[in-house]
Amino acid sequence: FDVIRKNKVIGNVISTFEKENDNLMITTVVDIEVKVLFVQAYKFMQTTKETWKNGQFIKIDGHTDFEDEREYFIKGEDVDNIFLASGMDGELKLDKSILPLNYWNKEILKQNKIFDTQKGIVREIKVKKLKDEEIKINDKKILAEKYILNATTHPKDKGPFPEYTLWYAKNGELLKFRFINWKDKKEVITIRNNWDQ
């Protein structure tokens, strides 16, 4: 995925899916950098590694580095029928059925609560299905399912959790998502940089 702001690519999101015996390992790397007059004005890095077994989310390791010295190390694992997690609020004991907030997984749209992979906290979410919409990827037109996702803001958040618009292909694959940055009111779009289906 390319991350676009003010019609410029400012970074990318890469998700890698690898099978290891019965496990599916999903590594997602977000790398964003904004420069003003060749000087770095904003930097954001996130790496998460999810482990799934037989379709069930069982483990996560993550690291998020914000531009303002905030840094979070996230861990979570199924232990004795609960999901033990740690993050911004310390240790949490969660329902083992909780899913990570990673937009590649369309199943998150069916949830009421989700595990935030940046800060290691639980957020309540609300999702609204909109009318299907045609979008373009490399000049190819694709009819996509369109959704709006809102999540609760945590007291320690620096600003409000943004409203996300998400587009999925009919086969369930994520194609595009967007939000408005609360600081500068600029739109940020993340979109697949290729689609060959």
Side-chain angles (χ1 to χ4, degrees), residues 14-19 24-28 50 104-105:
I14 300 173
S15 291
T16 306
F17 296 73
E18 297 177 292
K19 286 281 285 184
L24 176 63
M25 319 297 290
I26 304 166
T27 303
T28 299
E50 302 170 23
W104 69 263
N105 183 12

Side-chain angles (χ1 to χ4, degrees), residues 3 10-13 30-34 42-45 188 190:
V3 182
I10 60 169
N12 54 62
V13 179
V30 183
D31 185 1
I32 296 171
E33 183 177 14
V34 177
Y42 176 85
K43 178 76 175 172
F44 175 86
M45 281 285 301
V188 179
T190 303

